[in-house]
Amino acid sequence: MEVSITQFRRDLFALVNRALEGEEVWVAHRGQRFRIAPDRPSGSRLSRLTPLQVIDPQSARLDDSSLQEEMERAWTRDWDEL
């Protein structure tokens, strides 16, 4: 597929996604052609996700009762300020 620079600006994200899916995308500008392609073949969109660690390992080591007590102290301080 070849598009003009104007269409490329308008549909930038859609065209990049098409290139990620393996389709050849060419952009023409002032007599020059540019190919949009990923630097390496990619899998599905799901396989490109970066995993995020949700639980902090440091907080997981705390005793639940001490964490509960700390939270209650913080709530009480906040309520006293109101």
Side-chain angles (χ1 to χ4, degrees):
M1 144 186 283
E2 185 169 334
V3 297
S4 67
I5 193 73
T6 303
Q7 183 180 353
F8 176 71
R9 268 189 261 147
R10 184 179 38 220
D11 302 328
L12 172 68
F13 292 102
L15 292 170
V16 169
N17 282 334
R18 290 176 84 166
L20 283 171
E21 292 169 0
E23 186 174 341
E24 279 195 15
V25 177
W26 290 87
V27 179
H29 180 62
R30 295 185 181 186
Q32 296 284 332
R33 291 177 69 210
F34 303 91
R35 185 168 65 100
I36 307 298
D39 61 348
R40 62 178 179 266
S42 60
S44 69
R45 293 177 100 177
L46 184 60
S47 69
R48 293 192 308 265
L49 288 177
T50 303
L52 177 66
Q53 185 175 356
V54 178
I55 299 175
D56 180 19
Q58 297 298 328
S59 66
R61 294 182 190 147
L62 293 175
D63 183 12
D64 285 341
S65 61
S66 66
L67 183 58
Q68 180 69 28
E69 291 169 5
E70 181 183 342
M71 289 172 56
E72 287 178 4
R73 281 193 302 273
W75 293 334
T76 305
R77 261 194 325 267
D78 291 342
W79 291 335
D80 291 340
E81 291 176 6
L82 294 175

